[in-house]
Amino acid sequence: MEKYSTIQTVLEYIEDNVEACLDSDTLAEIGFLSKSHFFKLFTLHTGYTPMNYVLRRKLHNAAKRMITCKEKIVDIAFQFGFESHDVFSRAFKRVYGISPESYRKRGYTLHEMKKVVVHKESERGHEMVDVQIVERPSMCFLGVERQIGHRDGGATIAQVWEQYFQNYQDLFRNITNRVKPEEDAEYALAIFDQDGKLSYFVGFEVENLENVPTGAVGREVPALTYAKATHIGPPAETLGQTLDYVYGEWFANNVYRTAHLRDSPFSVIEYYDKRCSLTVPEMDIYVPIRPPSENRIENVPSFEAMYYRALGNDLVKLKYEAFDVMINWVEKNGFANDSSFKLGVKYGETDDHESFCEIFYKLTEEKAVLINSDKVKLKAYAGGTYAVALGAHHFLEKDWASFVRWLEQHSEYKPDGGCYEEFLIENGKVDFYTNIHFYERVEKR
């Protein structure tokens, strides 16, 4: 079953049973998924954790009923599976910022928690986009480059192209090592720094970077494997749709992961040649990828770890809160003398339907003397057999989806209900290019 239709089936079940006492185990069973897979897929497709979505749909329907009927609030709470008026009232106030009584009395207009509908992303015929796996040797480019954005003198992509053509003669008229000048082809590169700021490069391929004119920029791209897609249509108007397809649906249905790393910080290479002058323009895009050759099955022994759990409803904020606490703890305990260490990350929900992000630091026998902390606690974690794969922080969900696809198609193992991520912390922070490992507990099929 396609992942999008699996989650849609669960969403429909929630709507049909919104007054019932629902739990993550039941919803995962409806989707024929392990609990850990279900949690990640549901959050990826809807933007909510499963039980947080259930809670908000219950409150949404309860709020409507409070306005349209005269039933007691406590009776409405019971109808939607809340065990008491107090539990219902706390949940209502946490989500809407007011009590149920105030809402009914004053007739507030609440922000609706609308039903989520998951669509397959193929409305414009994305299934017709031809994606090929190609190898390209290292390449050198000469051109102009600007940071994109409205701050600090940033430019638009159109302005970078304009700058390139306006200054071409002044900058590049003496260049003699352009590769295949007769083809009159240009390249554009989207480049992200470690803070996620985007720069855009426009130029042409040269044999080497021995002569970079003042005012120009030289870029070298290592030999890489690419997903090559041919875009048909005006690039300025519709190129984003093809990029969305490659980075969305294509990655989700293939075993390749991104190769957008510090040593190759190019999210995409655009290639413009004479086909751009056709009645219906054509051009190629190259997205760097890596095959799953380093994926492995590994036995992880049980271990003890210090951990911190952040609670709330915004998983992004929770993750950075937990990282700050644990990175500070590790550094204060003197475990970061080599400036790099690993932190495990787990996500989930509490019985009160709050989301959590739990970050842990594995201990060894040599690390027995610890600084006490009211926030950071000691915990034993179970081991087991795990499938392990590499990923990158900024493409975490896309790399994880490719990892799951690999596990489904190319392994004798299947998920067994447990997963976590492991971040390699360097220089005391998590940035755009932080390397991670995915750990998915498995059993033989």
Side-chain angles (χ1 to χ4, degrees), residues 280-301:
V280 180
E282 294 184 17
M283 47 84 67
D284 297 325
I285 61 172
Y286 294 85
V287 175
I289 58 176
R290 292 186 293 173
S293 56
E294 296 174 288
N295 292 5
R296 64 185 187 273
I297 302 297
E298 178 180 312
N299 289 319
V300 177

Side-chain angles (χ1 to χ4, degrees), residues 21 40 55 69 186 246 251 257 263 274 346 443:
C21 292
K40 278 205 165 186
L55 173 66
C69 72
E186 267 81 35
V246 176
F251 265 109
R257 64 182 186 273
D263 59 351
K274 295 178 181 178
K346 293 170 66 72
E443 63 180 6

Side-chain angles (χ1 to χ4, degrees), residues 129-176:
V129 175
D130 181 27
V131 179
Q132 301 176 346
I133 309 301
V134 300
E135 304 282 344
R136 296 203 65 165
S138 60
M139 296 176 287
C140 294
F141 299 109
L142 202 58
V144 299
E145 182 176 322
R146 293 277 299 278
Q147 185 172 314
I148 301 302
H150 300 294
R151 296 181 179 179
D152 302 324
T156 66
I157 288 176
Q159 288 172 334
V160 182
W161 278 101
E162 183 180 3
Q163 178 184 344
Y164 170 74
F165 286 119
Q166 286 183 346
N167 294 280
Y168 184 89
Q169 286 298 321
D170 290 339
L171 290 175
F172 308 120
R173 64 175 178 268
N174 295 322
I175 298 300
T176 59

Side-chain angles (χ1 to χ4, degrees), residues 11 31 45 50 52 55 64 122 124 129 135 178 180 193 211 216 231 249 257 322 333 375 386 417 428 440:
L11 290 169
H45 283 291
N52 185 258
L55 173 66
K64 282 193 168 184
S122 59
R124 64 175 285 271
V129 175
E135 304 282 344
R178 180 168 180 168
K180 297 180 180 179
D193 67 15
N211 180 23
H231 171 75
E249 190 172 329
R257 64 182 186 273
N333 277 271
K375 293 182 177 180
Y386 283 83
E440 180 77 48

Side-chain angles (χ1 to χ4, degrees), residues 54-336:
V54 169
L55 173 66
R56 288 171 179 266
R57 287 302 294 161
K58 284 179 177 289
L59 292 174
H60 170 86
N61 285 278
K64 282 193 168 184
R65 189 167 296 182
M66 280 191 285
I67 294 298
T68 58
C69 72
K70 295 183 179 180
E71 294 177 82
K72 293 180 179 179
I73 291 177
V74 66
D75 292 336
I76 294 174
F78 287 140
Q79 289 172 16
F80 284 94
F82 293 91
E83 61 188 41
S84 70
H85 177 275
D86 287 343
V87 171
F88 174 70
S89 183
R90 286 197 302 270
F92 196 95
K93 192 169 184 179
R94 187 167 67 239
V95 171
Y96 293 122
I98 60 172
S99 69
E101 289 78 11
S102 296
Y103 164 68
R104 171 176 266 184
K105 180 179 180 181
R106 302 179 186 180
Y108 282 103
T109 299
L110 299 177
H111 176 70
E112 290 192 11
M113 172 57 214
K114 295 182 179 179
K115 170 187 171 184
V116 173
V117 177
V118 179
H119 295 289
K120 190 173 183 180
E121 300 175 353
S122 59
E123 283 120 0
R124 64 175 285 271
H126 276 153
E127 66 276 9
M128 301 303 292
V129 175
D130 181 27
V131 179
Q132 301 176 346
I133 309 301
V134 300
E135 304 282 344
R136 296 203 65 165
S138 60
M139 296 176 287
C140 294
F141 299 109
L142 202 58
V144 299
E145 182 176 322
R146 293 277 299 278
Q147 185 172 314
I148 301 302
H150 300 294
R151 296 181 179 179
D152 302 324
T156 66
I157 288 176
Q159 288 172 334
V160 182
W161 278 101
E162 183 180 3
Q163 178 184 344
Y164 170 74
F165 286 119
Q166 286 183 346
N167 294 280
Y168 184 89
Q169 286 298 321
D170 290 339
L171 290 175
F172 308 120
R173 64 175 178 268
N174 295 322
I175 298 300
T176 59
N177 65 342
R178 180 168 180 168
V179 174
K180 297 180 180 179
E182 70 279 2
E183 294 186 0
D184 195 27
E186 267 81 35
Y187 289 82
L189 284 67
I191 305 159
F192 289 89
D193 67 15
Q194 64 182 17
D195 296 320
K197 294 179 181 178
L198 171 65
S199 293
Y200 193 73
F201 171 97
V202 176
F204 51 89
E205 187 178 4
V206 291
E207 295 173 358
N208 56 61
L209 295 176
E210 293 178 358
N211 180 23
V212 178
T214 302
V217 174
R219 282 284 184 178
E220 185 173 359
V221 178
L224 290 169
T225 303
Y226 295 90
K228 174 189 174 185
T230 297
H231 171 75
I232 300 174
E237 299 174 16
T238 58
L239 178 58
Q241 296 176 20
T242 299
L243 286 170
D244 287 345
Y245 168 75
V246 176
Y247 276 113
E249 190 172 329
W250 188 85
F251 265 109
N253 290 283
N254 282 273
V255 298
Y256 291 89
R257 64 182 186 273
T258 60
H260 186 190
L261 305 172
R262 280 188 175 88
D263 59 351
S264 54
F266 313 100
S267 62
V268 63
I269 298 177
E270 304 163 18
Y271 175 68
Y272 299 87
D273 58 11
K274 295 178 181 178
R275 291 172 298 161
C276 291
S277 61
L278 297 174
T279 304
V280 180
E282 294 184 17
M283 47 84 67
D284 297 325
I285 61 172
Y286 294 85
V287 175
I289 58 176
R290 292 186 293 173
S293 56
E294 296 174 288
N295 292 5
R296 64 185 187 273
I297 302 297
E298 178 180 312
N299 289 319
V300 177
S302 299
F303 59 90
E304 286 191 327
M306 302 300 293
Y307 80 98
Y308 172 76
R309 175 178 285 193
L311 295 170
N313 288 316
D314 188 329
L315 277 176
V316 174
K317 289 183 179 179
L318 297 180
K319 184 170 78 171
Y320 282 101
E321 173 191 336
F323 267 122
D324 284 344
V325 171
M326 286 307 302
I327 288 173
N328 287 335
W329 183 90
V330 170
E331 290 178 340
K332 285 182 179 179
N333 277 271
F335 299 151

